[in-house]
Every structure is written in C-alpha cells, then in structure tokens.
Amino acid sequence: MRPVLSRRAFLAAAALSARSLEAAGKTLCGVPLEILKHGRSRRRYLRIHGDETTAAEALREHLKTARGTGFLVTNPKRNILIAGGLLDPNRMFSRQGAERSYRRLNPKWTEAELTPALAWLDRERPKLIHALLPPKGGLLFAVHNNARGYSMEEEIPISQQTSLARRNAPHEFFLTTDPGDYALLAKGPYNVLLQNEPKGDDDGSLSRLCGRLGVRYVNLEVALGKLAEQKEMMAWLERTLPE
C-alpha cells in the first residue's frame, strides 16, 4: 500500500520540483545576470543584450523543457555602465574589442579614464568567461535579436563556410565556431555560417573568443519580434546537435 503524503510533505515536494528551474542572480565583470538552471547538462545558454526581449522570452520558454544553465543579462538596455563608462557587453571579451566599444560609446573620455577601465576589465573578465563557458565538449548557445539592419550579409565575408538555405531571410541564421556542428546544421532548412577562423580585427565578441579557444559555440540570430520562429529554431538545434 502506497504511503499517503502529508500536506507538508506534498508542499515540500512541490517546492523541490519548482526549484528544478530556479532563478538566481549575480554580477560578474560588471554584468548583472539572472541564472536559470534546469536539470544537469553540459549546455549553456546566453541572452547577452538586455534590449533583445524576444530572445529572452524564447530562452525562458526553452529552458522549461531543455536541460542546461541559462544566463540572461538583466540590464534593460543594450549597453551597460561598467567601470564608469558605457560598454557593449558582447564587445568586452578581449581588450581590443572593449577599447573600441568604450571609445565609441564614451567619446568624451580621456586616456586617464579609459586606461583604468580597461585594466579593471582585464582583472575581472576571467570570472565572467569561466561562468559562461561550458565544460569540455559542451555547447554554448547564444540567442540574439536584430533590429538595426544587421544581418548575415555582414558575416558572410568573414566566414569560412556558408549554407544559405534561406537567402531571402538574411535576419534569421545560425553562426557556429565548430566545423562538426556546422556540418550537421548545414543539412537543415536554415541559414548557417561557420566562423572558426574569423577574418578581420578582433571585435571582442564571445564568438571570437570561443573560436580562439576551440569552444563549441552557436549563435542564433532572429529578427526582433519573431518569437515563434526563434523558438522553432532553438528546438530544431536541440534535436540536431548532440549533447
């Protein structure tokens, strides 16, 4: 005969189940993060720009079923005030990229303001990188939205391979740093770019860092507001790439 749970035991079990997708928060390298965990997995997920709201909604929905750890930047705007100046958080993963972003977003800064900010980033950046990167062999899946004219057409010239199944939909595409992942994704119905050795100057992006380190990374770009399409493409990637 099965034992009957007391009300207290039932509520405790329900609370434990709810915590399987738990929200926590911390700030690393000046970046405020909400952390969502669902089960155990070597997968890591990231929404890095605070104004890319469709990506955030898609990621929250995705992590209700997919296993892994998600990071959502909680700053409501694209750029974040870090070390006294505005900075694009996806340009801070190298000193060169951070310097360019600082100069662009803080045009009145003097060298006396810029130099200590860059030095502070150099000290703090490893903590953020350590948190975001997956364990060996794991996948980092970043979700983005574009609403400023950006599209895959800007990435094609600096990519090593391209599979353009939907050339007429340039705002929806995958970008990966791993040739094996590219080979699998390129068999599907979506645009896919491989950048394991991106050309041009280092822009400080996370994709460039992962390319240099040999980390499996996929970025999904979808136009802002296209929630159904972003969710569909995220689900397809989960089915297509191995754990």
Side-chain angles (χ1 to χ4, degrees):
M1 183 175 179
R2 294 179 62 186
V4 178
L5 283 176
S6 69
R7 177 177 174 81
R8 178 178 295 179
F10 174 82
L11 292 176
L16 182 62
S17 176
R19 285 198 297 272
S20 65
L21 180 61
E22 62 178 352
K26 62 171 62 178
T27 297
L28 294 170
C29 198
V31 179
L33 295 166
E34 179 184 358
I35 303 171
L36 301 176
K37 297 181 180 180
H38 185 200
R40 296 174 64 103
S41 172
R42 292 186 299 170
R43 297 234 158 143
R44 300 293 181 266
Y45 303 83
L46 173 66
R47 193 290 303 262
I48 198 167
H49 287 133
D51 62 343
E52 296 177 0
T53 54
T54 306
E57 186 175 353
L59 181 52
R60 290 182 189 280
E61 285 293 314
H62 190 72
L63 279 173
K64 290 180 180 179
T65 54
R67 295 185 178 274
T69 302
F71 299 88
L72 290 89
V73 173
T74 58
N75 189 70
K77 297 183 179 180
R78 182 179 185 86
N79 302 314
I80 302 175
L81 188 65
I82 298 177
L86 285 176
L87 182 66
D88 183 331
N90 200 33
R91 294 293 178 264
M92 64 187 297
F93 294 99
S94 73
R95 185 183 178 96
Q96 182 180 357
E99 180 174 350
R100 286 185 175 184
S101 182
Y102 267 139
R103 289 187 184 278
R104 181 176 64 86
L105 296 173
N106 307 276
K108 295 183 179 180
W109 259 21
T110 65
E111 293 300 316
E113 292 168 303
L114 176 63
T115 300
L118 291 172
W120 185 86
L121 279 178
D122 288 342
R123 293 193 301 270
E124 298 297 320
R125 186 185 296 112
K127 300 174 187 177
L128 177 63
I129 292 172
H130 178 75
L132 297 180
L133 295 191
K136 185 176 181 180
L139 175 71
L140 175 55
F141 186 10
V143 287
H144 283 268
N145 297 133
N146 49 73
R148 297 172 174 82
Y150 171 73
S151 76
M152 69 180 185
E153 301 296 342
E154 297 179 33
E155 301 292 346
I156 290 174
I158 62 173
S159 299
Q160 281 64 62
Q161 295 186 61
T162 61
S163 175
L164 308 180
R166 297 186 180 182
R167 188 69 190 248
N168 62 343
H171 297 284
E172 283 73 58
F173 63 95
F174 291 103
L175 186 154
T176 182
T177 61
D178 184 83
D181 289 340
Y182 171 81
L184 292 172
L185 295 173
K187 296 176 182 178
Y190 304 109
N191 299 316
V192 188
L193 312 178
L194 173 66
Q195 286 188 10
N196 58 329
E197 297 178 0
K199 305 169 188 175
D201 295 331
D202 182 358
D203 63 2
S205 63
L206 188 55
S207 63
R208 293 243 176 189
L209 174 68
C210 290
R212 287 198 306 273
L213 297 178
V215 173
R216 291 176 65 207
Y217 169 94
V218 176
N219 169 30
L220 169 59
E221 281 278 354
V222 173
L224 188 68
K226 289 190 174 183
L227 178 61
E229 185 156 3
Q230 190 143 37
K231 290 168 62 176
E232 171 192 312
M233 294 176 74
M234 292 178 73
W236 179 80
L237 180 136
E238 290 288 346
R239 297 192 300 270
T240 303
L241 293 188
E243 167 69 21

